[in-house]
Amino acid sequence: MRACMDIPKLKVRIKKIQGQLNAISEMIEKDVPCEDILIQIGAAKGALHKVGQIVLEGHIQHCVKEGIEHGDADKTIADFTKAVEQFSRMS
């Protein structure tokens, strides 16, 4: 699984998201206007979605390709379809 992901790139993005979430928590504590908090929530959600896209792209490039070329293509496609379905529910 690790072979299909750019771990350092993902860790940097996740650290940024953690910072965004901490900032949102602080905004709530400081009684920042709701509109500003919602903007930051949207930004964090977009950043998390991008992490999912990176993982999905790596999965396609490595795991799906490998499964189709050297494994059970039907099972690989079925598993990939489930993964895309789960990811699309996050949006």
Side-chain angles (χ1 to χ4, degrees), residues 48-84:
L48 189 57
H49 190 264
K50 184 62 179 177
V51 168
Q53 287 176 321
I54 292 168
V55 171
L56 191 58
E57 181 180 338
H59 181 64
I60 292 167
Q61 295 293 332
H62 183 267
C63 302
V64 172
K65 183 178 177 184
E66 180 87 8
I68 289 173
E69 291 177 351
H70 305 289
D72 182 348
D74 291 334
K75 181 180 180 332
T76 298
I77 292 169
D79 291 346
F80 176 68
T81 302
K82 283 184 196 175
V84 170

